[in-house]
């Protein structure tokens, strides 16, 4: 039996080049979408607090659809149940990609971000319960502060003009992907209405057909678009939140390429829908979900009533403590060595940034508090908590931006203009280097 110590891996080190390219492509769209999302949220707040707030409410509450099919919804509900299904479809594709060809395919590599994400969900939920229940508040909002909004977080980074290295961005993306999975499981399990088993059976039959078509390599949007709409409508009428249909279809789509294929079905679908999700679906949801009345009395209730206070503390304190503690403990017990160019303060900054829980938090808030007055307080708490987290993260990240700029320039420099960053060509001459990535 050898007494030689186990080789330590490097956490937040150089990403493999294919993974770095995939992360860069995904984050580029999310960043642009995040800026649109940020603009939509500002418009919603200004509009809802303007003399034309009545117009905002009438548009948001206007109903249309096909009543005979159980689809007579308000504009606000169409954005939450319909457009967000596109967002979760893209999230499902990203999760599938991570599991099959990305960072989550290797259990050892995935351990740190997955543990961090799970701790970043458990601690905010527990903190909400600890704050709300002793003060007589409702426990129903425990899931509101659990999810990270990757688009909003990236919009903050874009506004700050930061230069985070690819590994830090990938870590944030992986956290958000696992968060999205946790959120959709919570929605599916805890926020279902009276179940219609006939409709649910039809939805699952549609998903089975979707799977068979993928296995048979059937191509053509005319197969999948009508089938996808039917699955969504049946899932909605089945009493399960319709966004579950989006994630399910995303997970079914084939991620690996067949011989001779330029792109897999998941890659083609993501390429088409990611801009729609980031630039249209999520901002429109924000436009009709973030419009809450902001007054001195409303803001004071955020910090005096137990439920909104639990949400704010869950986002700002719970996410930070959960993600940082989970990452640190996981690194310690998996013998992962932090990239010597970074510090644990950098991980702490990302943990604070992950407290931005805008889109999914607003969605869960609406589901947890059906009463409009309660939902308004929770929405205000999500906005306040996310703004506090964004402000604190901005201060922490800007303080280290000179270091990030240097690392970013090193990993993007391409002096010979061959399309491959020079750092990867140096890594090729040292076989051990790629093994230390993250």
């Amino acid at each position: 039996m050898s007494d030689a110590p186990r080789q330590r891996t490097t956490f937040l080190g150089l990403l493999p080049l294919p993974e770095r390219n995939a992360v860069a492509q995904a984050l580029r769209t999310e960043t642009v979408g995040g800026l649109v999302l940020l603009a939509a949220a500002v418009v919603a707040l200004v509009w809802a607090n303007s003399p034309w707030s009545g117009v905002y409410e009438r548009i948001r509450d206007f109903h249309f659809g096909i009543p005979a099919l159980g689809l007579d919804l308000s504009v606000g509900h169409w954005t939450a149940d319909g457009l967000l299904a596109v967002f979760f479809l893209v999230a499902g594709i990203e999760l599938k990609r991570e599991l099959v060809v990305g960072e989550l395919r290797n259990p050892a590599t995935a351990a740190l971000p997955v543990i961090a994400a799970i701790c970043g969900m458990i601690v905010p939920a527990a903190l909400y319960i600890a704050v709300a229940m002793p003060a007589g508040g409702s426990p129903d909002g425990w899931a509101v502060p659990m999810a990270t909004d990757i688009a909003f977080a990236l919009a903050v980074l874009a506004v700050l003009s930061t230069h985070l290295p690819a590994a830090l961005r990938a870590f944030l993306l992986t956290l958000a992907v696992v968060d999205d999975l946790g959120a959709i499981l919570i929605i599916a399990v805890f926020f279902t209405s009276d179940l219609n088993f006939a409709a649910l059976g039809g939805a699952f039959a549609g998903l089975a057909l979707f799977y068979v078509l993928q296995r048979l390599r059937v191509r053509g949007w005319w197969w999948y678009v009508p089938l996808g709409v039917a699955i969504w409508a049946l899932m909605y009428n089945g009493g399960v939140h319709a966004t579950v249909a989006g994630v399910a279809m995303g997970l079914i789509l084939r991620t690996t390429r067949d011989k001779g294929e330029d792109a897999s079905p998941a890659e083609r679908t993501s390429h088409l829908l990611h801009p729609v999700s980031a630039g249209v679906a999520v901002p429109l949801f924000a436009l009709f979900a973030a419009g809450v009345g902001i007054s001195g009395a409303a803001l004071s209730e955020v910090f005096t009533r137990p439920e909104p206070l639990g949400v704010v503390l869950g986002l700002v304190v719970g996410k930070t403590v959960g993600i940082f503690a989970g990452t640190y403990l996981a690194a310690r017990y998996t013998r992962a060595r932090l990239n010597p160019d970074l510090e644990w303060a950098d991980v702490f900054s990302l943990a604070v940034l992950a407290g931005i829980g805008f889109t999914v938090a607003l969605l869960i808030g609406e589901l947890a508090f059906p009463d409009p007055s309660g939902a308004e307080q929770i929405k205000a708490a999500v906005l306040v908590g996310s703004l506090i987290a964004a402000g604190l993260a901005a201060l922490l990240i800007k303080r280290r931006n000179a270091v990030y700029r240097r690392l970013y320039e090193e990993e993007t420099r391409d002096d010979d203009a061959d399309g491959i960053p020079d750092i990867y060509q140096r890594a090729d001459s040292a076989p051990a280097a790629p093994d230390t990535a993250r």
Side-chain angles (χ1 to χ4, degrees), residues 186-234:
I186 288 167
I187 291 171
V189 173
F190 294 100
F191 297 104
T192 56
S193 54
D194 295 333
L195 297 180
N196 181 330
F197 290 102
L200 278 181
F204 286 117
L207 289 171
L209 177 57
F210 197 100
Y211 174 79
V212 170
L213 291 175
Q214 283 290 289
R215 293 287 293 178
L216 294 177
R217 301 311 195 252
V218 175
R219 299 185 63 171
W221 65 266
W222 51 88
W223 290 98
Y224 294 101
V225 173
L227 179 59
V229 172
I231 292 170
W232 172 85
L234 287 165

Side-chain angles (χ1 to χ4, degrees), residues 406-424:
R406 176 178 59 80
L407 294 175
Y408 178 83
E409 290 174 351
E410 286 178 0
E411 69 181 29
T412 56
R413 182 178 294 118
D414 184 18
D415 291 338
D416 53 7
D418 63 352
I420 301 175
D422 298 339
I423 194 170
Y424 287 96

